[in-house]
Amino acid sequence: MQFLQKFTAFGKIKKDLRDMTPVEVMLRKARLHKGFKFGAGLLLIIAFLGVFGPMILNLSPYEQDLTRRLLPPVWIEGGVWDHWLGTDGNGRDYLARILFGARISIIIGVGAACIGMLIGVTLGVIAGFFGGWVDQVVNFILTCQLALPGLLLAMTIVFLVGPSIFVVIMVIGALHWTLFLVVARSATKRIRSLDYVTAAEAIGASKLQIMLTDILPNLMNQIVVIFTLEVGVAILSEASLSFLGVGIQPPTPSWGLLIAEGKDALFYQPWLIILPGIALFLLVVSINMMGDGIRDITDPESSVE
Amino acid sequence: MFRFIMSRLLVVVAVALTLSVVAFFLLNLAVDPAQAIAGEEADLLEIEQIRQRYGFDRPLITRYFEWFSGVLHGDFGVSYYWNKPVGELLLERLPETITLALMSLSVTILVAIPLGCAAALNPNTFIDRMALGVAVSAQAIPNFWLGLMLIILLAVIYPIFPVSGDKTLYHFILPAIVLGASSVPPVMRLMRTGLLEVMNADYIRTARSKGYYGWRLLLRHSLRNALLPVVSVLAVQLGHKFGGSVITESVFAINGLGRLALESILGADIPTVQILVFVFAFTFLALNLLADILNAYLDPRLRT
């Protein structure tokens, strides 16, 4: 009897959920997910500061004032309120350079993740849909890509081709697609054997049509999760390249480049390194937390609590 | 077992061959080697002379086969930038990178495995959440920045460790922490989920009912099975450490393969760079093969 009571109670909760549309369920999960709210909120703040910050504060990241070089931030003795975070070795406002750096990081992160998604999802869907020798060929390409030393190759190509934002985006994107492929392939394999795909084939839909209209929309949840996490990976890759001097070139303020420029002042002006590093860390943490959150939210198995 | 190893070996050879082609053609098409040797200001005549002297005027395919047969015979070519055989350069720099890779792997093992165990044995507690926090942070901290922070904190403010260099093993401690930290999140997560799964298995319940508990249960029964997937991931991570040595070695001024790679790239020294790409890729493949064999040896269920 007790068992029956539990069962009906359980059924009742289920029914409440069933009344909601999938979008409503997701929104409710998003509202209750602390990690997602924190990550998304932090990301929004960083993006807002990066886009509108320099305009509101009326600061230029390129304007030099050689009489005011290497000023410390305001909370350290010697800092002035004109430059909240001090100035760099050329007397440029450090706050403006860090805020501008957010734009560079986000543009490159999103751009590179888009390129990676294009390559990985295309190969993954084709491999999962056709299977057989096509799958084996794709698997071989995947093994080759995994074995390549990504950073080393990226450095070489960017240096030889000539560094620019566009080249950096293309190179990082072209080297970060393996996760997209693996996820898209396994999901496509699973969906391919479902009845509605067979039905679509039976009524004469072309293979391309099935891949685009029946399979691709159902991969979206998982791809969005990978996309978010890959944005974080791409941002860190760009910072590494710029730090090593084979990425974004001066005077463009990239966070990796700011850290490289501050490296010589390690002993006397450590904030030149600490501040852009914190910015980089916060941006990547917020993106990763949002990605983990989206994974939980879009997973139909996860609980609502 | 023999057939398993042979089939894996075949894949490794095929991938290595493909990568040698990719590395050679990508680099030789992206830049004109004669121009790179002659420098920016050289006139066309000079470049043409160099092109003929080094044989760059011959078709790329001929040069590829020449290069690759040289590699198979142990002749890695001559570096234009260092004016030395590339093989000699590699041997000079190899010990530093191997020391760094092995030490950072030890750091990963010493941090990630106890942390993963602690998290799995106390799921959804403060310890579990702290371990997750460590993983999330380690994933988001840029490697080179962590290195610089450790230098500021532990070499400048509190001068416990040397700032940079590679003279003694003591010099390798900070770099090993930096390079090791990047592998902590995946290893820790795998350890945690693996151990959680094993702890719910039937044979653990049997062991519990026989009176095993605590450390003895962990060490004699559950850890052995939970470590299986971790072993193969550690081998993969060791492969990543060779490639990842580029950043760490340049931050800490260690004269290893990673720094050689950076300096060769900046000097447009194609013979050295293409060998390094190939060597790193081959190391990764070999370690993966080793992991597969080790796993099949440890876990008979995987032998196919």
Side-chain angles (χ1 to χ4, degrees), chain A residues 14-301:
Chain A
K14 274 279 180 214
K15 206 173 169 240
D16 282 348
L17 270 182
R18 220 174 285 142
D19 288 340
M20 296 161 81
T21 63
V23 175
E24 278 172 350
V25 174
M26 273 188 212
L27 284 177
R28 186 167 159 195
K29 281 185 189 170
R31 267 204 307 278
L32 294 168
H33 197 291
K34 278 185 201 146
F36 174 77
K37 279 191 295 188
F38 180 79
L42 190 59
L43 183 60
L44 274 179
I45 294 172
I46 295 175
F48 178 82
L49 286 175
V51 175
F52 298 108
M55 274 185 242
I56 296 170
L57 295 167
N58 197 18
L59 293 168
S60 157
Y62 299 115
E63 201 178 303
Q64 299 186 2
D65 181 357
L66 291 176
T67 57
R68 307 183 113 182
R69 290 170 57 231
L70 292 171
L71 286 178
V74 281
W75 61 86
I76 297 174
E77 219 184 305
V80 291
W81 280 100
D82 291 354
H83 302 287
W84 290 359
L85 296 183
T87 54
D88 71 357
N90 288 320
R92 292 172 291 202
D93 186 76
Y94 217 48
L95 177 63
R97 286 183 75 71
I98 288 179
L99 290 179
F100 249 80
R103 295 189 192 182
I104 305 282
S105 281
I106 292 172
I107 289 171
I108 290 180
V110 172
C114 284
I115 304 283
M117 178 170 69
L118 206 66
I119 301 173
V121 173
T122 311
L123 284 175
V125 170
I126 290 174
F129 188 83
F130 290 103
W133 67 269
V134 181
D135 191 19
Q136 278 172 357
V137 169
V138 171
N139 206 25
F140 187 75
I141 300 174
L142 175 70
T143 317
C144 289
Q145 169 69 47
L146 285 175
L148 278 176
L151 181 68
L152 186 58
L153 216 58
M155 285 161 61
T156 315
I157 299 170
V158 172
F159 180 75
L160 294 179
V161 176
S164 70
I165 293 184
F166 178 72
V167 172
V168 171
I169 289 176
M170 295 308 275
V171 169
I172 294 178
L175 292 169
H176 288 91
W177 46 262
T178 47
L179 218 54
F180 286 111
L181 187 151
V182 174
V183 169
R185 182 174 59 181
S186 67
T188 307
K189 269 187 188 155
R190 188 172 38 85
I191 295 169
R192 175 140 185 35
S193 58
L194 295 180
D195 285 342
Y196 79 94
V197 175
T198 319
E201 270 177 333
I203 59 169
S206 73
K207 290 191 167 85
L208 186 69
Q209 206 175 356
I210 293 175
M211 281 192 260
L212 289 179
T213 59
D214 294 322
I215 291 178
L216 205 54
N218 287 302
L219 300 179
M220 274 309 153
N221 283 353
Q222 282 155 299
I223 290 174
V224 168
V225 174
I226 305 291
F227 182 85
T228 323
L229 298 175
E230 285 294 322
V231 171
V233 173
I235 287 174
L236 286 180
S237 303
E238 180 273 321
S240 306
L241 286 180
S242 301
F243 173 75
L244 293 172
V246 285
I248 304 301
Q249 297 297 309
T252 312
S254 143
W255 287 340
L257 191 61
L258 293 187
I259 294 173
E261 286 170 353
K263 204 173 60 170
D264 303 326
L266 185 77
F267 298 97
Y268 306 107
Q269 285 92 20
W271 64 86
L272 287 177
I273 301 170
I274 297 173
L275 294 173
I278 291 174
L280 202 47
F281 174 71
L282 288 178
L283 179 61
V284 178
V285 158
S286 70
I287 290 172
N288 285 353
M289 286 182 86
M290 201 174 87
D292 285 341
I294 297 175
R295 192 203 319 263
D296 293 343
I297 291 164
T298 52
D299 181 5
E301 307 275 308

Side-chain angles (χ1 to χ4, degrees), chain B residues 34-82:
Chain B
Q35 172 87 57
I37 297 169
E40 302 258 315
E41 283 101 38
D43 53 36
L44 283 174
L45 189 71
E46 255 177 279
I47 293 175
E48 196 51 46
Q49 278 173 343
I50 289 173
R51 191 167 285 146
Q52 278 171 11
R53 181 155 22 114
Y54 286 92
F56 295 141
D57 48 352
R58 292 169 307 145
L60 211 53
I61 297 192
T62 326
R63 278 163 54 208
Y64 168 74
F65 280 113
E66 220 175 69
W67 174 72
F68 195 66
S69 75
V71 170
L72 289 182
H73 291 99
D75 170 21
F76 287 0
V78 179
S79 154
Y80 314 136
Y81 181 69
W82 307 92

Side-chain angles (χ1 to χ4, degrees), chain A residues 140 147 152 155-156 159 273 277, chain B residues 18 27 140 145 250 262 265 280-281:
Chain A
F140 187 75
L152 186 58
M155 285 161 61
T156 315
F159 180 75
I273 301 170
Chain B
T18 316
L27 293 176
W145 188 67
S250 70
L262 180 64
I265 290 170
F280 283 148

